[in-house]
Amino acid sequence: MLQAESIQKSVRVVAFIGNPNTGKSSLFNALCGMNARVGNYPGVTVEQKVGRLSGTTNLIDVIDLPGTYSLAARSADEAVAVNVLSGELPQQARPEVAIVILDAANIERNFYLFSQIYELGLPVIVVLNMWDRVTSEGLTVDAELLSQRLGVPVVCTSANKRQGIDQLRKTIEHTLNAPAPMPQPGQLARTMFPAAFHLESKLLSEWLEAKGRKPSTSQVDRLLIDSDGHFQKTLCQSGLSDIAERIDEARTRLQSAGCKVPMFETKARYAWVRKLIDGAVVRQESRSASPSDRIDRWLTHRWVGMLVFVLIMFLVFQSITLFAKLPMDGIQWLQAQASSGVEAVLSPGALRSLIVDGILAGVGGVIVFLPQIAILFLFIAILEDCGYMARAAFVMDKIMTTVGLSGKSFLPLMSSFACAVPGIMATRTIESRKDRMVTLLIAPLMSCSARLPVYILMVAAFVPATRYAGGWISLQGMVLMLMQSLGALVAIPVAWILKKFFFPGEPATFLMELHSYKWPSLIVIYQRVWERLVAFVVRAGTLIFCTSILVWAAAYFPGDHRSLDQSVATLEQLNSTRAEWIKNQVSQPQSDERSTMEASLAENQTAIDEAQEQVNRQRSQLIESSFLGSVGHYIEPAVKPLGWDWKIGVAVIASFPAREVIIATLGTIYSLGSEQDEESQGLQKQMQMAEWPDGKLVFNLATALSIMVFFALCAQCSATLMTIRRETNSWRWPIFSFAYMTTLAYIGAWLTYQCFRYWS
Amino acid sequence: MTLPNIRLDELGQGESAIIVEIIGEDVVASRLMEMGLIEEEPISMVGRAPMGDPTEYAVRGYRISLRKNESTRVIVRKEC
């Protein structure tokens, strides 16, 4: 205990800060490995990522601060970055060193943020990341000279190639252990601010001190420069109500003195940066367009650009259905092996049922989707890393503005096609709160990977396997693609309505950096895909596992399973006898014994069929009398207009924690005991044979489409709702999401069923 | 020879100009300035998105995408 405490105390904290898209996360992963602790900053809804620096003698924690262009905080993310660096965030130790990550190929603009951080009074390390781009972009950068001029260490790294990482690690340790040289006041960019501003800053500082506050110089600067800025709001909330008035007076005086706020700051800082990099950063001006510009001419071309965009999206979704099959079959095979292994050891009863039908079926039926998620995130990671994702936002911006959003909403929405949870979290990059809220509320409509198994199951079982164009285009694939796009299509009017009636206002600014194209880095792609897979497995391991157990219990209890267990035991006995006979038959190939054997085998087959039928009958009786069955019967009138029987109703209710659970539930309801996944022939067959009491088939094309439409639009995912709750910090929005999506889903499913019921 | 001032969005493909001023004091204006769009800075138009908006510009050695409602805030002068 004492030892743990002393270790706790000796942990040093440093922070990573930089513009967005400077390879900050890759550098973080390279330094800390993949074991970052992800949580929220105390009291705010901004994600906190902390990692332990590997390979150092000291224990050093690295905080990965949200990317920002400026310390003039406008979004919640930027406010957190500023607060952590100035030690203003409660329960969060102020970092001892600020490690400023700059894009080496875009030094001038990146040094703007540095000029602000330099004034915070923290030891600083400059990291010129993406160093490998410097030569390819026709730049020469003298890092040594920059280091001399600034008086701080400058380290060159290429995180995606793992270059310069050791150097950075050593520099961090060295800076922590040696008293770091602090920047001289004369070196700071604020010395280039006009004299009138320095006077006002001094006056305001004294005024605040008289009120018992002790803000730093850079905080006073921010108060004066940022109109209604985040620090002003903090002071206002802490009881300093007349601060706004005081600042307004100061601004008026500055204005009359010819000091234009906020322009003078950017002007002074960029002039400072120019002076700093003069002679140290040389750009070879070329008259011809760069290769990246030439690629861009096509990828953002009026027609070619759109065509490329559509083709890439087509490729992504076709690949999921194409390449995921083999690994999925492998996982299913493993699950079947595990189930039969358990069945061989345990006799029929509650424990075996729990393990095979609850645990193995529930978790296994979820892990089976890992290949699909991996493929989708592989594409997203490649597109992001090579630079196309920003072009996709650029190309799509105009369309997004028609629903009142920006191209920046494209990325979170695109991510939501894999899972709405990371998609909703990615909305943090949207500066405008209104845009962010709308994006966050429509993100769950995007077809996530959890819907895919539902579609695959329904499509494989009920959509004819017709092929067109010489077998290249399948009807099943077309329906799959339509279902994948349905949510996105519905999201358009939903976004428009939300924007119009719930979040009216001007569209957000759309200043976006377009990086040069580059070859994607394998290590970066591997890390992104791995992170998503781990996140999914963790979620599957907890939420879905619990649901599986609950659903299993609801379907198992109450009910006397003794006679069923008896029947199952009889059936298994018959089956093993048969297997033994067949083995003997192979070893005794004589023809006279063979005919008697065949007769007994036929007899045995009849007995097996009878036993199987009895097992099925007893199972369906037990489920119907279970808790789940009662609920299902109770809601049947409500779901009958959608073409559903009570079993489908039960499966939909049970899938509230996560959509993919419906497969496991349907499997449990239709045949407790067989492996349940979207491609299991057994489940497909049982669904195809399911009947209403009057003998009509429950499932046909209309029912299948109605279920798919319902799942395309519903909010059956507690993880998504919990994420919305966390991101909006209110129960209002998850409840709103659930209500509006379920209403849409019900209406959509009803319309679909009514349209197709006569046709099929 | 200096031509009369125009708005940045009026710049044609491949044309260059010098920034004269950024109109306004709001968030849009200060963000534009933070991104390096400052008076006396050269800027050139790289290309428009397929649907005509936004537009890609080159400034301070990097590429930035601006919407029309942002680029109209930037006054530039073309130089021959």
Short mmCIF file of all heavy atoms in Angstrom, two decimals, chain A residues 1-10:
data_model
loop_
_atom_site.label_atom_id
_atom_site.label_comp_id
_atom_site.label_asym_id
_atom_site.label_seq_id
_atom_site.Cartn_x
_atom_site.Cartn_y
_atom_site.Cartn_z
N MET A 1 0.84 -1.21 0.00
CA MET A 1 0.00 0.00 0.00
C MET A 1 0.87 1.25 0.00
O MET A 1 0.73 2.14 -0.84
CB MET A 1 -0.90 -0.03 1.25
CG MET A 1 -2.01 1.01 1.24
SD MET A 1 -3.17 0.72 -0.10
CE MET A 1 -3.72 2.37 -0.42
N LEU A 2 1.87 1.20 0.95
CA LEU A 2 2.76 2.35 1.05
C LEU A 2 3.57 2.49 -0.24
O LEU A 2 3.75 3.59 -0.77
CB LEU A 2 3.70 2.14 2.24
CG LEU A 2 3.78 3.31 3.24
CD1 LEU A 2 4.33 2.83 4.57
CD2 LEU A 2 4.57 4.47 2.69
N GLN A 3 4.00 1.32 -0.73
CA GLN A 3 4.79 1.31 -1.95
C GLN A 3 3.98 1.88 -3.11
O GLN A 3 4.46 2.71 -3.87
CB GLN A 3 5.20 -0.12 -2.26
CG GLN A 3 6.49 -0.19 -3.05
CD GLN A 3 6.87 -1.63 -3.32
OE1 GLN A 3 6.19 -2.56 -2.92
NE2 GLN A 3 7.97 -1.80 -4.01
N ALA A 4 2.73 1.43 -3.19
CA ALA A 4 1.85 1.90 -4.27
C ALA A 4 1.70 3.41 -4.20
O ALA A 4 1.73 4.09 -5.22
CB ALA A 4 0.49 1.22 -4.16
N GLU A 5 1.59 3.92 -2.97
CA GLU A 5 1.42 5.35 -2.80
C GLU A 5 2.65 6.12 -3.26
O GLU A 5 2.55 7.13 -3.94
CB GLU A 5 1.14 5.66 -1.33
CG GLU A 5 -0.24 6.23 -1.11
CD GLU A 5 -0.59 6.32 0.35
OE1 GLU A 5 0.29 6.65 1.15
OE2 GLU A 5 -1.75 6.02 0.68
N SER A 6 3.82 5.60 -2.88
CA SER A 6 5.04 6.30 -3.25
C SER A 6 5.23 6.28 -4.77
O SER A 6 5.72 7.23 -5.36
CB SER A 6 6.25 5.69 -2.54
OG SER A 6 6.51 4.41 -3.06
N ILE A 7 4.81 5.16 -5.38
CA ILE A 7 4.89 5.11 -6.85
C ILE A 7 3.96 6.16 -7.44
O ILE A 7 4.32 6.91 -8.33
CB ILE A 7 4.52 3.69 -7.36
CG1 ILE A 7 5.65 2.72 -7.00
CG2 ILE A 7 4.29 3.69 -8.86
CD1 ILE A 7 5.34 1.27 -7.25
N GLN A 8 2.75 6.20 -6.84
CA GLN A 8 1.76 7.16 -7.30
C GLN A 8 2.33 8.57 -7.33
O GLN A 8 2.15 9.32 -8.26
CB GLN A 8 0.56 7.11 -6.35
CG GLN A 8 -0.73 7.60 -6.95
CD GLN A 8 -1.24 6.62 -8.01
OE1 GLN A 8 -1.21 5.41 -7.79
NE2 GLN A 8 -1.68 7.12 -9.13
N LYS A 9 3.07 8.88 -6.24
CA LYS A 9 3.58 10.24 -6.10
C LYS A 9 4.65 10.56 -7.12
O LYS A 9 4.79 11.70 -7.55
CB LYS A 9 4.13 10.42 -4.68
CG LYS A 9 3.08 11.02 -3.75
CD LYS A 9 3.61 11.15 -2.34
CE LYS A 9 2.46 11.34 -1.37
NZ LYS A 9 2.84 10.99 -0.02
N SER A 10 5.45 9.55 -7.48
CA SER A 10 6.60 9.84 -8.33
C SER A 10 6.24 9.85 -9.82
O SER A 10 7.11 10.00 -10.66
CB SER A 10 7.71 8.84 -8.07
OG SER A 10 7.25 7.57 -8.46
#
